[in-house]
Amino acid sequence: MNAAGIRDTDYNELELLAQSDSGAIVVKTSTILPRQGNPEPRYKSLSTMSIQSMGLPNHGYKTYIRYIERLKEKYEKQGHSKPIIVSIAGFTEKEYLTLAEGFQHSKADMIEVNLSCPNIVGKRIIGYDLKGVDDLTKKLRLATDKVLGFKLPPYLDEVMIEKMSKIILNNNIEFVTCINSIPNTLIIDPATDKPWIKPNKGKGGLGGRCIKPIALGNVASFCHYLKDKVSIIGVGGISTGKDAYDFLLYGADAVQVGTQFMEEGIGCFARIQKELDEILRKKTLKIATTCRRRNAERFTPYNEENSFTK
Ligand code: DHB
């Protein structure tokens, strides 16, 4: 499926996703009110990476509730409806709850709570504030009985993944999507010696092929701590069937495509699926729960018992 924020803001883009080989439709992160987003240029793609500081341009959640209703009605009639995942971001806890309550009464199938938007200047990325996430989650869980998941930032510290996993398990969160783009990054245009993008002094979220090892490491770690109790959607640097295969093998139940979808367009889903099918056919490998669990066990994160210093 598409990653949240990629070609999923306007109704016609969502229709294109409905008609594509994407396994689901992910809708641009909604805020309470419509937003224009940050000034341009706010996205730049290079050969192995992209940087963006979009600033949450979206039509506001009430519009997306209507879009989803239209999509469901049209494609259910045609017999090929697919799951719709909405993404929400509040500027306060109260806003998150209003958004969850709003979509509770919509035709959305799943709610991805964006805990990781890197582009709101002066605001902490809530996914790095474990106590804040725990408090918010308890309230969110009461606000909706839709399938509820977290979009997480990249963690470079294994202990944070272990702690976040406990919060997820204790609060009946049903899926995690990891990782969001890597925050606080900067790329300079060699022709001008200035940043490629304008907002936030040129800093933004890094995506694209170069972030795959970080994304894959996070997915493997979450798989270890969450076992098979919580579904994992892998995202970050997926551009080929082999990338999708690696994520599925090391713990993901599904994958999302961000930068590659932005660059290639809607045809990327059929191509990646075809490449993945070919790999699976060649290996005659059935990705089964047992295999995923074996990989999770083989991957032994740091703890007191296996500390290098002992
Ligand atoms: C935006 C960027 C993100 O990486 C995200 O998760 C949500 C929103 C944005 O700037 O629009």
Side-chain angles (χ1 to χ4, degrees):
M1 69 192 85
N2 63 301
I6 311 297
R7 300 178 182 272
D8 59 352
T9 302
D10 299 335
Y11 183 78
N12 64 321
E13 294 177 309
L14 297 172
E15 272 225 288
L16 213 56
L17 282 162
Q19 294 157 4
S20 76
D21 282 72
S22 173
I25 301 168
V26 186
V27 181
K28 171 71 186 172
T29 299
S30 303
T31 51
I32 301 275
L33 296 173
R35 287 171 59 87
Q36 296 280 318
N38 289 336
E40 311 251 5
R42 56 191 186 183
Y43 171 85
K44 174 69 187 173
S45 157
L46 300 161
S47 59
T48 59
M49 61 188 114
S50 65
I51 187 165
Q52 52 81 21
S53 181
M54 305 301 288
L56 289 165
N58 77 97
H59 297 299
Y61 80 108
K62 288 185 182 159
T63 299
Y64 290 111
I65 289 175
R66 287 201 306 274
Y67 284 0
I68 292 164
E69 201 163 311
R70 244 170 100 188
L71 281 171
K72 282 282 184 191
E73 212 165 278
K74 179 166 176 186
Y75 290 93
E76 267 165 13
K77 255 188 216 144
Q78 294 180 12
H80 55 93
S81 173
K82 53 177 85 164
I84 298 183
I85 305 177
V86 291
S87 166
I88 58 170
F91 292 101
T92 60
E93 189 177 89
K94 191 161 170 282
E95 284 193 5
Y96 270 109
L97 294 175
T98 303
L99 292 162
E101 281 156 10
F103 282 116
Q104 165 68 12
H105 304 290
S106 76
K107 293 202 164 174
D109 297 283
M110 297 160 68
I111 302 178
E112 190 180 85
V113 183
N114 191 344
L115 301 176
S116 46
C117 179
N119 300 325
I120 304 305
V121 178
K123 273 251 161 213
R124 189 153 186 220
I125 293 174
I126 185 174
Y128 292 130
D129 168 11
L130 295 177
K131 169 85 170 69
V133 172
D134 196 30
D135 293 346
L136 175 63
T137 307
K138 289 192 166 43
K139 292 174 189 157
L140 277 173
R141 196 57 288 186
L142 295 174
T144 178
D145 58 12
K146 297 268 186 201
V147 176
L148 193 61
F150 287 164
K151 174 83 173 268
L152 295 172
Y155 296 108
L156 305 181
D157 172 11
E158 182 74 28
V159 174
M160 280 198 90
I161 298 184
E162 186 178 5
K163 288 186 176 162
M164 179 57 83
S165 297
K166 282 191 185 134
I167 294 172
I168 289 161
L169 290 168
N170 288 341
N171 289 291
N172 296 321
I173 292 300
E174 289 149 295
F175 73 98
V176 291
T177 306
C178 51
I179 58 173
N180 206 323
S181 50
I182 299 172
N184 213 28
T185 61
L186 180 65
I187 315 179
I188 306 299
D189 176 358
T192 63
D193 286 345
K194 294 204 167 68
W196 281 108
I197 58 169
K198 185 172 175 188
N200 197 17
K201 297 187 183 139
K203 292 208 280 182
L206 188 72
R209 296 209 313 268
C210 73
I211 74 165
K212 179 183 165 190
I214 299 172
L216 197 51
N218 272 238
V219 164
S221 294
F222 273 112
C223 182
H224 174 83
Y225 291 113
L226 299 173
K227 302 283 183 269
D228 275 320
K229 298 190 181 90
V230 177
S231 299
I232 300 173
I233 303 178
V235 54
I238 295 172
S239 66
T240 65
K242 173 66 168 76
D243 297 326
Y245 172 81
D246 289 345
F247 276 81
L248 295 173
L249 199 56
Y250 280 83
D253 297 279
V255 295
Q256 296 180 346
V257 187
T259 299
Q260 185 63 31
F261 174 35
M262 189 71 184
E263 295 306 305
E264 181 179 347
I266 203 77
C268 73
F269 300 108
R271 178 187 57 76
I272 292 172
Q273 182 71 64
K274 188 163 161 278
E275 291 170 2
L276 176 62
D277 288 347
E278 182 63 12
I279 292 168
L280 295 178
R281 197 186 57 76
K282 277 198 186 133
K283 294 192 186 261
T284 55
L285 176 69
K286 200 158 166 264
I287 298 178
T289 315
T290 46
C291 172
R292 296 195 318 113
R293 201 174 282 137
R294 209 174 331 116
N295 279 325
E297 280 160 12
R298 202 183 299 148
F299 175 80
T300 315
Y302 173 89
N303 63 33
E304 286 301 318
E305 269 64 52
N306 68 21
S307 147
F308 288 119
T309 52
K310 278 195 178 167

